[in-house]
């Protein structure tokens, strides 16, 4: 499960370009963190599945003889 920590600034009452840039940068950072952690979760899941398959294959080979 992805765990991210990110601070998103509160918007100001009046439009402020710098404030909007900070919000957009914070949202982009969050997007990158989620994309990276999702791909890492997929890799971990695939590694676990491959380990399980190799274990099953080894058991099957030992039972065969």
């Amino acid at each position: 499960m992805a765990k991210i920590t990110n601070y998103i600034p509160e918007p100001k009452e009046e439009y402020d370009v710098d404030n909007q840039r900070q919000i957009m940068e914070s949202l982009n950072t969050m997007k990158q963190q989620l994309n990276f952690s999702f791909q890492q979760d997929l890799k971990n899941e695939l590694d676990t599945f491959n380990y399980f398959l190799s274990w099953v294959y080894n058991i099957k080979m030992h039972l065969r003889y």
Side-chain angles (χ1 to χ4, degrees):
M1 168 96 50
K3 179 180 179 183
I4 59 169
T5 55
N6 198 19
Y7 169 75
I8 299 176
E10 290 286 325
K12 295 184 176 180
E13 292 286 329
E14 294 290 322
Y15 179 81
D16 181 26
V17 174
D18 289 334
N19 181 249
Q20 293 300 311
R21 284 189 182 127
Q22 288 177 343
I23 292 171
M24 288 302 299
E25 184 62 34
S26 184
L27 290 173
N28 283 329
T29 300
M30 183 182 295
K31 180 179 76 170
Q32 290 173 348
Q33 289 175 345
L34 286 170
N35 284 339
F36 177 78
S37 63
F38 176 73
Q39 290 183 11
Q40 186 63 42
D41 286 348
L42 284 178
K43 182 186 177 305
N44 292 346
E45 190 174 313
L46 184 60
D47 288 346
T48 302
F49 183 69
N50 286 333
Y51 177 80
F52 172 76
L53 287 180
S54 69
W55 183 78
V56 169
Y57 177 77
N58 287 332
I59 295 295
K60 184 178 179 183
M61 293 305 290
H62 286 300
L63 291 177
R64 181 186 252 183
Y65 297 106

